[in-house]
Amino acid sequence: VAGSATLSALLRATPPCRSAPIRAAGPLFRRTPPRPTPPRPTPPRRPARHGETADPSALPARTRREACISAMMGPSLGPVNLFGEGSQEAKGEQARMSSIVGALAIADLVKTSLGPKGMDKILQSHSRGGSVSVTNDGATILKSVLIDNPAAKVLIDISKVQDDEVGDGTTSVCVLAGELLRQAAELIEKKMHPQVVIGGYRLARDAALKALRAAAIDHSDDEAAFRQDLLNIAMTTLSSKVLSQDKEHFAAIAVDAVMKLRGSTNLDQIQIIKRIGGTLKDSYLDPDGFLLDKKIGVGCPKRMRDCKVMIANSPMDTDKVKIYGSKVKVDSVSKVAEIEAAEKKKMLDKVDKIIAHGCNVFINRQLIYNLPEQRFADAGVMSIEHSDFDGTERLALVLDGDIVSTFDTPERVKLGSCELIEEVMIGEDKLVRFSGCPNSQASSIVLRGANTHVVDEAHRSLHDALCVLSQTVKNTAVLPGGGAPEMLMAQAVEEESKRVASKHVVAMEAYAKALRTMPMHIADNAGYDSTELCAGLKAKHHEGRHTWGLEMDRGGLGDMVALGICESLQVKEQVLLSSSEAAEMILRVDDIVQWRRANGSSEAAQRSAGAGRGVQLSFGRSELAVSLLSDRRVPPPNTVEHPLSRPRSHTLLNLVRVVAA
């Protein structure tokens, strides 16, 4: 009210608008009637400048009022729009909270899948096939989610990196990053600067990493103890998967396959074949053979010993006339027969060159037509067609041979070898088995299951176990599981915070609190009282029992080393580092800019308007509006671009007008 009165007095004191009443539309102003003022002598007026009106009273009342306010307040520095059409920007607290909320949504999505009692998710595709998959693997879930939040994409990226690096911990890394951001959001609401939070998180991360490495156990010197550690890690990894009921059986399969690699991390030498039928217990490891999911050619021998194998990638389907993009003129049908005979002779000569290499088994990545297949059968050579690129690469690795494309230099070709090649039956399908391969690191695992969903999830679970075991063979340190590492790291962070004399102490305590929420989520997903269990676990760790953790089969506490619940040190290190870096990256954000593409149109405009000029049909309730896309403006919603685009668009426009009439 005081401001309104002051502004009223100022407006009345201004000579050009002395007779104009105050008409402010805002809620902070009150409509006041004009007060009677004594007559004052009129001051002399200066001559009107260029562009001004000589008599201000001749101006409208609104224009005179705006001129008075502008003259009183001076030039206004309004906001300047730096971005073009189609670009958006969010700044400051809005951008930061938008990033944190998006990351928390992703963390809450996979949080219920954490731990040995985690729940599964059904992923349904909206494509024409409508494929459905059931899984609780964090990386598989997040790869299938279509999101638009940039911070959520950061969490999905770190989950993919976790899956590529170590194979396990894809859910844990997202959940821990979400909890770190949740604690940081509370501190930011209390007016703590994000850089202070980041500094405290870095101190806490270093302390946690130091405690984690100090608690690691290494049995690489004892072969029997190290194998038992690998079995425990495999069973711990599989306990949260669909294979949890048969984890001892599949853990032995995974350990035997990884031990054959002899320290290598190349999992391409392990072939996993999925066959529907039977139960999961019917799955087995073929330790001395390599299976190829193909069939032997018609008329060829089905069993061969002392094999010399040629692995090729060459077209073997040119026994028919196939001339594309050209014309051949002949004057009789006999000429066509001569061309066909020449093509057949060319293919038969190629087969003879292959046989001249001294091989008795020919495996081609591409198709083998009837004519060359019959020539191979007549020569007693086993032929296998269409081995695919993955199968060809694996065969070259297993059989220790070269992949050949030309056959003019037999002396430079290295043939593969094996003791026996035979056709075997698995379920109702026929496969080719290679026994006695020179590369003894290769093996094949056959997975059986009731349906496609079970077999696919078993494949994903076993692949995770194989990845973790291969990395553990390389870095042999292990840790107790069941939430014990998180409680140990939280206690180490709290002890380190007592030595810090700055505001970073609050952020370090928040970091420790975020670490302690991981065992709580494990207990919650199992249906137990997480508060009571985590309080008891915290007391055990303060007593110095750092190997104690959650035992979810009975819903209590126990010694993880005695129970055989172990995890790889590298997995925990990767989870800790990736989640901390992702949280720091998101906390640094204070500006989100949705950019436009280089051609000047935004992504939404390109999706709506398409490329190039065209006719835009806008269907309303009772009218058909037609407009030409002569510029790059974003079209209104509910518009469809016409597929026809002609230089003379007015012709089509007239046609549409006639149809509309």
Side-chain angles (χ1 to χ4, degrees):
V1 176
S4 175
T6 304
L7 183 58
S8 301
L10 290 173
L11 291 177
R12 287 195 302 273
T14 306
C17 56
R18 58 182 179 273
S19 61
I22 299 175
R23 294 181 182 178
L28 298 179
F29 295 96
R30 180 185 299 173
R31 186 184 301 274
T32 57
R35 298 180 182 178
T37 56
R40 296 181 182 178
T42 303
R45 295 179 177 176
R46 59 174 174 79
R49 298 177 181 175
H50 179 70
E52 291 184 344
T53 305
D55 186 8
S57 61
L59 297 174
R62 182 179 182 86
T63 306
R64 283 185 283 130
R65 184 170 65 253
E66 293 176 354
C68 293
I69 297 175
S70 177
M72 177 184 64
M73 300 183 63
S76 176
L77 298 177
V80 179
N81 188 12
L82 299 178
F83 303 101
E85 185 179 1
S87 299
Q88 297 179 359
E89 183 184 24
K91 286 187 176 182
E93 192 69 21
Q94 179 185 0
R96 185 177 298 110
M97 294 310 298
S98 173
S99 301
I100 293 176
V101 168
L104 291 180
I106 289 295
D108 293 338
L109 174 65
V110 297
K111 182 172 61 177
T112 56
S113 301
L114 184 66
K117 304 293 183 180
M119 307 299 290
D120 291 349
K121 302 288 188 294
I122 294 180
L123 307 177
Q124 184 177 7
S125 174
H126 288 285
S127 60
R128 181 175 297 179
S131 60
V132 176
S133 60
V134 183
T135 182
N136 69 344
D137 183 61
T140 305
I141 296 171
L142 295 180
K143 282 188 295 186
S144 305
V145 176
L146 299 177
I147 60 172
D148 199 20
N149 189 280
K153 292 182 180 179
V154 172
L155 261 64
I156 293 178
D157 290 340
I158 65 170
S159 178
K160 292 179 181 178
V161 171
Q162 182 79 15
D163 190 27
D164 295 337
E165 290 293 328
V166 291
D168 195 21
T170 55
T171 305
S172 301
V173 68
C174 286
V175 175
L176 182 56
E179 293 300 330
L180 292 175
L181 290 172
R182 198 187 307 272
Q183 299 298 326
E186 296 180 1
L187 297 180
I188 293 174
E189 289 179 359
K190 297 177 182 178
K191 305 303 179 183
M192 179 175 286
H193 197 275
Q195 291 294 344
V196 178
V197 178
I198 292 173
Y201 275 10
R202 287 180 177 177
L203 295 175
R205 180 195 62 190
D206 295 339
L209 194 60
K210 182 179 178 181
L212 195 66
R213 291 171 177 171
I217 306 171
D218 193 351
H219 290 150
S220 57
D221 297 335
D222 189 351
E223 183 177 354
F226 182 62
R227 180 179 175 82
Q228 186 61 41
D229 287 343
L230 292 179
L231 287 172
N232 292 336
I233 290 174
M235 287 189 289
T236 304
T237 303
L238 296 174
S239 62
S240 61
K241 312 291 184 181
V242 72
L243 303 177
S244 58
Q245 301 299 323
D246 305 311
K247 58 183 180 181
E248 294 85 1
H249 175 62
F250 284 96
I253 290 176
V255 170
D256 291 340
V258 170
M259 292 299 287
K260 286 192 67 176
L261 297 179
R262 300 175 185 175
S264 174
T265 58
N266 185 14
L267 297 181
D268 291 337
Q269 301 180 78
I270 302 176
Q271 171 84 334
I272 299 179
I273 297 176
K274 299 179 290 184
R275 282 293 176 270
I276 299 175
T279 62
L280 289 173
K281 288 185 179 180
D282 296 333
S283 305
Y284 65 93
L285 170 70
D286 192 345
D288 189 35
F290 184 84
L291 296 174
L292 183 65
D293 190 8
K294 295 297 172 183
K295 296 180 180 179
I296 300 176
V298 179
C300 298
K302 305 299 181 183
R303 183 183 177 90
M304 184 79 65
R305 285 191 174 276
D306 299 328
C307 305
K308 295 180 180 180
V309 185
M310 171 177 284
I311 307 167
N313 181 13
S314 179
M316 302 293 293
D317 55 352
T318 56
D319 57 335
K320 297 180 180 179
V321 177
K322 294 191 300 183
I323 303 174
Y324 301 103
S326 60
K327 294 182 179 180
V328 179
K329 293 183 179 181
V330 294
D331 53 1
S332 63
V333 181
S334 60
K335 298 295 183 181
V336 179
E338 292 179 4
I339 296 176
E340 291 180 351
E343 290 286 338
K344 290 181 179 180
K345 185 178 183 304
K346 181 180 178 181
M347 175 54 63
L348 294 177
D349 292 342
K350 187 176 183 179
V351 174
D352 293 338
K353 289 182 180 180
I354 294 173
I355 298 175
H357 284 70
C359 62
N360 53 9
V361 179
F362 177 74
I363 302 176
N364 192 29
R365 179 175 177 261
Q366 304 181 36
L367 294 175
I368 302 177
Y369 270 23
N370 297 333
L371 180 65
E373 185 180 60
Q374 185 63 38
R375 176 58 66 93
F376 282 128
D378 294 341
V381 176
M382 179 188 296
S383 63
I384 302 173
E385 67 173 0
H386 211 272
S387 62
D388 297 334
F389 186 75
D390 293 338
T392 304
E393 291 288 332
R394 284 197 177 97
L395 280 174
L397 181 65
V398 170
L399 302 178
D400 195 19
D402 296 335
I403 300 178
V404 187
S405 297
T406 58
F407 312 100
D408 296 328
T409 56
E411 66 278 359
R412 298 183 181 179
V413 176
K414 182 180 181 182
L415 300 178
S417 61
C418 65
E419 295 179 0
L420 175 65
I421 297 179
E422 59 183 346
E423 199 172 53
V424 296
M425 292 286 295
I426 297 179
E428 298 179 356
D429 300 326
K430 294 181 180 180
L431 286 82
V432 181
R433 184 174 185 269
F434 298 79
S435 304
C437 303
N439 186 0
S440 59
Q441 300 179 5
S443 58
S444 297
I445 299 175
V446 179
L447 292 180
R448 306 297 304 277
N451 52 46
T452 306
H453 305 302
V454 174
V455 174
D456 290 341
E457 181 64 9
H459 183 199
R460 286 189 289 266
S461 304
L462 188 60
H463 181 266
D464 291 348
L466 292 173
C467 292
V468 174
L469 292 176
S470 64
Q471 295 295 328
T472 308
V473 170
K474 189 176 179 180
N475 300 315
T476 56
V478 298
L479 290 168
E486 287 81 6
M487 300 300 290
L488 173 65
M489 290 187 290
Q491 183 179 355
V493 170
E494 288 181 347
E495 293 294 332
E496 183 66 24
S497 66
K498 298 178 181 178
R499 303 182 182 92
V500 178
S502 64
K503 292 190 296 184
H504 298 95
V505 174
V506 182
M508 296 178 70
E509 293 174 353
Y511 196 97
K513 187 177 179 180
L515 286 172
R516 286 200 174 97
T517 57
M518 300 295 289
M520 296 184 68
H521 293 322
I522 295 175
D524 286 334
N525 294 337
Y528 300 119
D529 189 353
S530 60
T531 305
E532 182 179 358
L533 288 175
C534 291
L537 185 58
K538 182 179 179 181
K540 291 290 184 182
H541 277 259
H542 277 285
E543 294 175 2
R545 302 180 182 181
H546 297 303
T547 59
W548 279 60
L550 300 177
E551 203 276 311
M552 289 292 96
D553 290 338
R554 297 176 301 171
L557 305 178
D559 190 352
M560 298 292 101
V561 176
L563 294 174
I565 302 176
C566 297
E567 294 181 275
S568 174
L569 172 64
Q570 188 174 4
V571 173
K572 284 298 178 183
E573 282 186 352
Q574 190 71 25
V575 168
L576 183 67
L577 295 175
S578 298
S579 58
S580 299
E581 291 174 358
E584 292 178 10
M585 181 185 300
I586 294 174
L587 289 177
R588 287 178 178 273
V589 173
D590 68 342
D591 200 340
I592 299 177
V593 179
Q594 293 184 355
W595 49 272
R596 297 191 304 168
R597 296 199 175 185
N599 57 2
S601 59
S602 63
E603 187 176 357
Q606 287 191 351
R607 287 198 303 264
S608 302
R613 296 166 58 91
V615 177
Q616 182 177 347
L617 303 182
S618 179
F619 297 91
R621 293 183 178 179
S622 60
E623 63 179 357
L624 177 62
V626 182
S627 61
L628 294 177
L629 297 179
S630 58
D631 53 6
R632 293 180 177 178
R633 293 177 297 177
V634 180
N638 301 327
T639 59
V640 181
E641 184 185 1
H642 199 280
L644 298 178
S645 180
R646 297 289 186 269
R648 296 183 178 180
S649 301
H650 61 275
T651 305
L652 182 59
L653 181 61
N654 295 330
L655 176 61
V656 175
R657 284 174 178 170
V658 172
V659 174

